[in-house]
Amino acid sequence: MLSTSTLPLYSHQKINFGFYNKQRINFSSNGTKNSSLCYSFTGSVFPFTVLYTNTSTKYLHLKRLSIIAAASSSGSRSSRRVYKQSQAQAPAAPIEGIASFVLPAGAFVVVTFVLWKLVEKIFLPKPTKSVLEENTPTQGVKWSFAPGTNLLSSFGAKVERESKLRLNDFAKELRSFRSVDMSGRNFGDEGLFFLAESLAYNQTAEEVNFAANGLTADGVKAFDGVLQSNIALKTLNLSGNSIGDEGVKCLCDILVNNSGIEMLQLNSSAFGDEGAKAIAEMLKKNSSLRVLELNNNLIDYSGFSGLAGALLENKSIQSIHLNGNYGGALGAAALSKGLEGNKSLRELYLQGNSIGDEGVRALMSGLSSHKGKLTALDLGNNSISARGAFYVSEYIKKSKNLVWISLYMNDIGDEGAEKIAEALKHNRSVTNVDLGGNDIHAKGVSAIAQVLKDNSVIAALELGYNPIGPDGAKALAEVLKFHGNVKDLNLGWCQIGASGVEYIADMLRYNSTIQSLDLRANGLRDEGAICLARSLKVVNEALMSLNLGFNEIRDEGAFAIAQALKANEDVRLVSLNLMNNFLTKLGQSAITDAKDHVFEMNEKELTIVF
């Protein structure tokens, strides 16, 4: 604090200001200066700080002052009192601190602002569009050559330009490809129009796959010019595009006079009865189409009726796929009417149409009167019971051309299995039988097994997802040990267990026909794996593929299989599936070593799946 005894300056003729560094500047009370740098002061004295400029060094110095005041009476000099402010009591400290902070901070702010404006001007050019234009959504979809992308303009014009350049390069090469697969690219309608011109010039491409590309009814119009110019194209796949009824109608108008396309795939294309009717009208006039795939759409009874009418007039169609639609019993009955008068149809796929027993009855009646030679019939997942299996069995008995029959995932049970078995005793054309997922137990499998004693035609037998148990495995193994001609045997998810697989393992020692054996998810564990390993040590010239996935096999079972593979120098196994078991790195390493050993001994590559 300032001392209360400080003398007023105006009571003295002369005031001396002295710096701590011993340099002195004298100021007269009348304003005359005794030095080159002089200041005049009037009024009362208050604590202050002098800002002194040193012209030689070009910078500022803050220096504290000591004030020396002298007083005399009648012209004579008296004793002087010297009042000094101590550094701790100096009132100038707050002002000095503020000045020392403000000056650098202010300079920093000014310099930063100038640099920021300079960088903004150089590196951030002014936008050419208004904010309103930038925020306006782009109409339509921008295509990209990159798989799975669907770019909008807001993602950057640069990426879009690069995509167009890549698609442009591909379009040039497209003119010479024999097979074009661009499925899942999602290039949309605009990309299809872009490619259409090059495809029209291509006179060598026979297959084009544009599945899952985000095409709509508008994009289908691009094929108008393509199919008129390209006479070599035989297969067109537009599956997975939501073209709807309007898109199907547009495509049928294009194909009605086309003489090149032989296979048309419109699976999962989001059309219903109206689209199916348009296809039916096209089939009445088109004479080149051989294969028509319409799986997983929304076709109901009305659409089935339209297609049935087309079958009465069409003489070229050979295969129709209608899986996963909504035909029902009425749709099947309508379709049967068309089948009666058709001579060309060879394959009919109706899986997942909820046909039921009544629908099967009507359908089998139509097929029995069918004048053609049907070779493949898929009735899987249609809520067929033992009664429906009876109608199917009657058709099998009479058929001399049927090769492949599927009743997968129905509910025919043991009774239905026995009816099918009885029919197979009289049939000598069926080679592939699929009865998976039908709640067949040991009794039903035993009936099927007895057929194989005298039937040497059946080459593929699917019995997976049936609870046949160890007894069923025993009945089947005893017959297949020395009889039959089965090459592919599927017993996955059949609850065979370690006890049941013993019969299968014993059968493999003598069987000379089975090439592929599927034993997935049967709870074999290490015991079952060891049983199979003992059989693998014996020379088996037929078995090439063995699937043991989902069987809770651990390292002990893996070691046994590895030793068996090493012991059998003539093993023909080329595929071993051990997926989803409980093998550690030790078990996997043992199997891998066995694989390398097989390659060294036989120069055969064994594929292992863990």
Side-chain angles (χ1 to χ4, degrees):
M1 297 296 294
L2 188 63
S3 174
T4 55
S5 61
T6 303
L7 298 178
L9 293 177
Y10 61 80
S11 64
H12 301 275
Q13 295 180 352
K14 189 173 183 179
I15 302 174
N16 295 326
F17 291 80
F19 291 92
Y20 284 145
N21 61 358
K22 304 303 182 181
Q23 297 179 1
R24 300 179 63 87
I25 303 176
N26 297 326
F27 297 90
S28 300
S29 60
N30 59 2
T32 61
K33 57 185 179 180
N34 296 325
S35 175
S36 59
L37 186 59
C38 177
Y39 298 91
S40 298
F41 301 93
T42 59
S44 60
V45 177
F46 57 88
F48 62 93
T49 302
V50 175
L51 183 64
Y52 172 68
T53 304
N54 189 332
T55 57
S56 62
T57 59
K58 305 293 185 178
Y59 61 87
L60 300 179
H61 295 277
L62 288 173
K63 299 187 177 182
R64 301 183 184 280
L65 301 179
S66 62
I67 304 176
I68 305 174
S72 62
S73 60
S74 65
S76 63
R77 181 177 302 273
S78 63
S79 62
R80 298 179 179 178
R81 294 181 180 176
V82 180
Y83 300 92
K84 294 184 179 180
Q85 290 178 306
S86 64
Q87 186 173 1
Q89 295 176 337
I95 300 176
E96 178 184 1
I98 293 173
S100 64
F101 172 79
V102 171
L103 288 176
F108 176 79
V109 171
V110 172
V111 172
T112 303
F113 179 81
V114 172
L115 291 175
W116 177 69
K117 285 294 184 182
L118 184 62
V119 170
E120 182 183 30
K121 185 174 182 180
I122 295 175
F123 295 102
L124 299 176
K126 294 182 179 180
T128 56
K129 294 184 179 181
S130 64
V131 175
L132 180 60
E133 291 176 334
E134 291 178 354
N135 293 334
T136 302
T138 303
Q139 299 296 327
V141 176
K142 300 298 182 181
W143 49 264
S144 170
F145 186 68
T149 58
N150 193 8
L151 300 178
L152 299 177
S153 59
S154 59
F155 283 89
K158 181 179 179 181
V159 177
E160 184 177 346
R161 285 196 302 270
E162 291 177 354
S163 299
K164 287 184 177 180
L165 289 174
R166 294 176 65 186
L167 192 57
N168 185 49
D169 293 339
F170 183 80
K172 294 178 181 178
E173 299 178 6
L174 188 62
R175 301 184 179 187
S176 60
F177 291 159
R178 291 183 60 85
S179 178
V180 180
D181 186 355
M182 294 190 67
S183 57
R185 303 289 180 173
N186 204 26
F187 48 68
D189 293 340
E190 185 178 350
L192 180 58
F193 277 102
F194 189 84
L195 293 170
E197 182 180 357
S198 296
L199 190 59
Y201 283 104
N202 187 325
Q203 297 301 318
T204 60
E206 297 182 356
E207 300 179 8
V208 172
N209 188 350
F210 287 155
N213 273 299
L215 305 181
T216 66
D218 292 335
V220 174
K221 298 176 183 177
F223 288 102
D224 190 9
V226 172
L227 297 179
Q228 288 181 6
S229 303
N230 191 317
I231 60 175
L233 191 61
K234 298 185 182 302
T235 300
L236 178 61
N237 189 349
L238 296 178
S239 302
N241 293 293
S242 298
I243 62 176
D245 290 327
E246 293 302 319
V248 172
K249 290 178 181 179
C250 179
L251 185 62
C252 289
D253 291 340
I254 299 171
L255 292 175
V256 67
N257 295 318
N258 181 274
S259 59
I261 298 295
E262 296 181 358
M263 182 175 183
L264 178 62
Q265 296 169 285
L266 295 175
N267 305 313
S268 303
S269 294
F271 67 90
D273 290 338
E274 294 302 317
K277 291 178 181 179
I279 292 173
E281 293 301 316
M282 180 267 293
L283 287 175
K284 292 178 181 180
K285 299 178 181 179
N286 184 289
S287 60
S288 63
L289 199 61
R290 300 289 185 270
V291 180
L292 179 62
E293 294 187 9
L294 307 176
N295 299 323
N296 303 318
N297 284 294
L298 306 171
I299 305 173
D300 209 329
Y301 161 73
S302 179
F304 272 67
S305 298
L307 292 172
L311 288 176
L312 292 173
E313 300 185 31
N314 185 282
K315 298 179 181 180
S316 62
I317 194 71
Q318 295 180 357
S319 177
I320 295 181
H321 298 248
L322 290 168
N323 298 333
N325 282 284
Y326 299 88
L330 293 177
L335 197 60
S336 67
K337 299 297 182 183
L339 292 173
E340 290 180 3
N342 183 280
K343 296 181 180 180
S344 62
L345 193 66
R346 298 290 182 268
E347 300 175 359
L348 180 61
Y349 300 89
L350 295 172
Q351 182 180 147
N353 273 279
S354 301
I355 292 174
D357 293 335
E358 288 302 318
V360 167
R361 183 186 63 80
L363 191 63
M364 294 303 106
S365 176
L367 286 175
S368 297
S369 304
H370 179 55
K371 298 177 181 180
K373 298 178 179 180
L374 194 72
T375 59
L377 178 61
D378 187 354
L379 297 175
N381 195 18
N382 271 298
S383 303
I384 300 172
S385 68
R387 188 163 70 95
F390 168 75
Y391 301 125
V392 176
S393 66
E394 291 299 308
Y395 171 70
I396 293 175
K397 287 179 182 179
K398 300 176 183 178
S399 176
K400 297 180 181 180
N401 301 291
L402 190 65
V403 175
W404 187 84
I405 178 70
S406 174
L407 289 170
Y408 182 75
M409 287 298 170
N410 283 290
D411 193 22
I412 67 173
D414 289 338
E415 183 182 354
E418 290 174 344
K419 290 182 170 59
I420 297 297
E422 183 65 26
L424 290 174
K425 289 181 181 180
H426 300 85
N427 182 285
R428 287 298 180 266
S429 65
V430 175
T431 62
N432 292 57
V433 180
D434 188 346
L435 298 177
N438 271 284
D439 195 31
I440 300 173
H441 296 74
K443 182 181 178 182
V445 168
S446 298
I448 297 293
Q450 292 304 312
V451 175
L452 299 177
K453 281 186 176 181
D454 300 319
N455 188 314
S456 59
V457 178
I458 297 176
L461 182 59
E462 166 68 77
L463 293 172
Y465 297 98
N466 286 300
I468 67 174
D471 293 337
K474 178 182 179 181
L476 196 60
E478 287 180 349
V479 173
L480 290 177
K481 184 183 292 187
F482 301 109
H483 300 88
N485 190 36
V486 175
K487 293 179 173 59
D488 297 323
L489 180 61
N490 191 339
L491 298 175
W493 284 270
C494 284
Q495 302 177 17
I496 293 174
S499 59
V501 82
E502 291 183 9
Y503 304 111
I504 301 295
D506 183 59
M507 176 266 294
L508 289 176
R509 296 186 181 189
Y510 304 96
N511 181 277
S512 60
T513 63
I514 294 178
Q515 298 177 357
S516 175
L517 178 60
D518 187 349
L519 294 173
R520 285 176 294 173
N522 275 293
L524 304 186
R525 298 186 174 87
D526 289 337
E527 295 85 351
I530 293 172
C531 287
L532 289 171
R534 286 196 292 265
S535 296
L536 289 176
K537 289 182 179 180
V538 180
V539 176
N540 187 313
E541 297 180 355
L543 189 63
M544 300 178 66
S545 175
L546 179 60
N547 195 335
L548 299 177
F550 301 92
N551 269 297
E552 304 175 27
I553 299 173
R554 300 180 184 274
D555 289 345
E556 184 180 355
F559 294 152
I561 294 174
Q563 291 299 321
L565 293 174
K566 291 180 179 180
N568 190 345
E569 297 181 358
D570 297 320
V571 63
R572 293 195 61 191
L573 202 66
V574 296
S575 175
L576 177 61
N577 191 332
L578 292 169
M579 182 186 299
N580 290 94
N581 281 292
F582 300 149
L583 305 185
T584 66
K585 291 183 178 180
L586 294 176
Q588 294 180 7
S589 178
I591 296 293
T592 302
D593 290 343
K595 168 188 173 182
D596 296 338
H597 180 81
V598 169
F599 182 78
E600 291 176 1
M601 298 298 296
N602 302 330
E603 295 185 355
K604 293 180 181 179
E605 187 68 30
L606 175 59
T607 302
I608 306 292
V609 180
F610 292 114

